[in-house]
Amino acid sequence: RAAAVHVDGLARRLALLTAVGGTLAVMASMWLAVYLSHMNDRLSDALSREREYSIGQKMRYEMLLAGEEMTRRYRHDMMNHLIGIETLIEEGKNKEAVHYIGRLQKGLKKAGGSQYRTGVKVLDGLTQFYAARLMGIAEVRVDGEIIETGKIEDTELCTIYGNLLSNAAEELLREENRGGELNVTLRNGSGSFSLCVENTCVGSARFGEEGMPLTRKSDRKNHGIGLRNVREGVERRGGTLLLREEGGRFTAEVRLPM
């Protein structure tokens, strides 16, 4: 009988140890799952920021190249301009020469810096870059300025604004859409600011289930990435992105909290 009691006690202790061990194993598994989920979120955020930074750096580099190209082309033509001015003066056409010099000064200002003012230096450069690509093809207008961006970093704005301009420019560069318009509207609100990029377009845009426009290109996997990056950047900052097409105009409106 004593042996039976002893065996029964061992069985109870074994059952208790098994239960405790099982509980600890479950708790450890839950902790590990939470830890891995947290690390995965941190890694995903880090990769997203790295991608955003790379996109921003690429756009800045393209802006510098565009500015250098404009300056180089203008310098190349300077000798011709001087010959033209000299000819006007020799013929006694002083008023025409003054007028010519005035137009030349305007051109030099464009080559030396952005003629567009958004309130944010990097956005000025992006606007100038895409305006240069659309020169003689589409009219580019900017209305308003961003006074304060709060905690939004330049690289984030560069990704959002640059991709919106890139999409608009791509549409305007289509042969059937020549002579179109690109309008940028910037506004400041109470605790937030907004930027709206509108361009003329040919044909009606089709939108997917997530409210994103479907690309006209056959290779859908590698297109539409720019707008997805815009949406991710806006949502990460708690902002809103509204896309719509109406009356031959495509509009992308972003509102970001400061």
Side-chain angles (χ1 to χ4, degrees):
R1 184 175 182 180
V5 172
H6 178 68
V7 171
D8 186 56
L10 288 175
R12 289 181 180 179
R13 285 196 293 271
L14 181 60
L16 178 62
L17 288 173
T18 301
V20 171
T23 301
L24 290 175
V26 171
M27 292 177 63
S29 298
M30 292 175 62
W31 177 85
L32 181 61
V34 172
Y35 174 77
L36 290 176
S37 176
H38 176 67
M39 291 301 296
N40 183 62
D41 289 342
R42 290 184 61 183
L43 180 60
S44 177
D45 185 62
L47 290 173
S48 179
R49 288 183 176 275
E50 179 64 25
R51 181 178 60 184
E52 191 171 77
Y53 178 78
S54 298
I55 292 172
Q57 290 296 96
K58 178 177 179 291
M59 287 183 173
R60 289 186 179 188
Y61 179 67
E62 289 177 342
M63 285 158 43
L64 291 174
L65 289 179
E68 182 181 348
E69 174 66 13
M70 288 182 68
T71 302
R72 186 181 65 81
R73 286 161 56 183
Y74 216 85
R75 286 176 177 171
H76 179 269
D77 291 337
M78 186 56 67
M79 182 58 68
N80 295 329
H81 292 309
L82 292 176
I83 293 172
I85 294 171
E86 182 182 18
T87 301
L88 289 173
I89 293 174
E90 288 178 348
E91 294 178 356
K93 299 179 179 179
N94 295 334
K95 289 184 178 181
E96 288 84 349
V98 171
H99 185 62
Y100 192 104
I101 293 172
R103 295 203 308 272
L104 194 59
Q105 286 177 327
K106 290 181 180 179
L108 286 171
K109 287 180 180 179
K110 290 182 181 180
S114 176
Q115 61 178 317
Y116 299 97
R117 295 290 179 266
T118 65
V120 182
K121 197 67 177 177
V122 67
L123 302 193
D124 293 347
L126 281 169
T127 309
Q128 181 66 26
F129 170 71
Y130 285 103
R133 287 189 62 191
L134 295 171
M135 188 178 297
I137 297 173
E139 187 73 23
V140 179
R141 303 186 186 92
V142 176
D143 178 35
E145 290 188 3
I146 297 175
I147 299 174
E148 177 63 43
T149 61
K151 296 181 180 180
I152 309 295
E153 298 178 2
D154 281 357
T155 52
E156 295 175 292
L157 278 177
C158 188
T159 298
I160 294 170
Y161 186 69
N163 277 305
L164 293 181
L165 286 185
S166 176
N167 279 8
E170 183 176 349
E171 173 64 26
L172 291 166
L173 287 169
R174 294 173 60 197
E175 188 65 35
E176 61 269 32
N177 202 13
R178 297 296 176 98
E181 297 177 2
L182 170 59
N183 298 310
V184 176
T185 305
L186 308 168
R187 294 289 183 264
N188 297 275
S190 177
S192 66
F193 65 92
S194 66
L195 55 91
C196 179
V197 177
E198 176 194 79
N199 62 272
T200 52
C201 59
V202 176
S204 299
R206 294 188 300 117
F207 292 83
E209 295 180 357
E210 298 180 347
M212 302 294 285
L214 301 175
T215 180
R216 295 186 177 96
K217 299 176 181 178
S218 57
D219 185 11
R220 294 188 176 184
K221 182 179 179 181
N222 295 314
H223 292 93
I225 296 174
L227 282 179
R228 290 201 296 271
N229 287 340
V230 171
R231 183 180 62 183
E232 289 178 6
V234 170
E235 290 179 348
R236 185 167 55 251
R237 282 299 186 173
T240 58
L241 170 64
L242 176 63
L243 303 173
R244 64 180 182 273
E245 186 273 322
E246 185 178 5
R249 291 179 179 272
F250 184 86
T251 304
E253 186 174 351
V254 171
R255 182 170 293 276
L256 291 166
M258 293 184 293

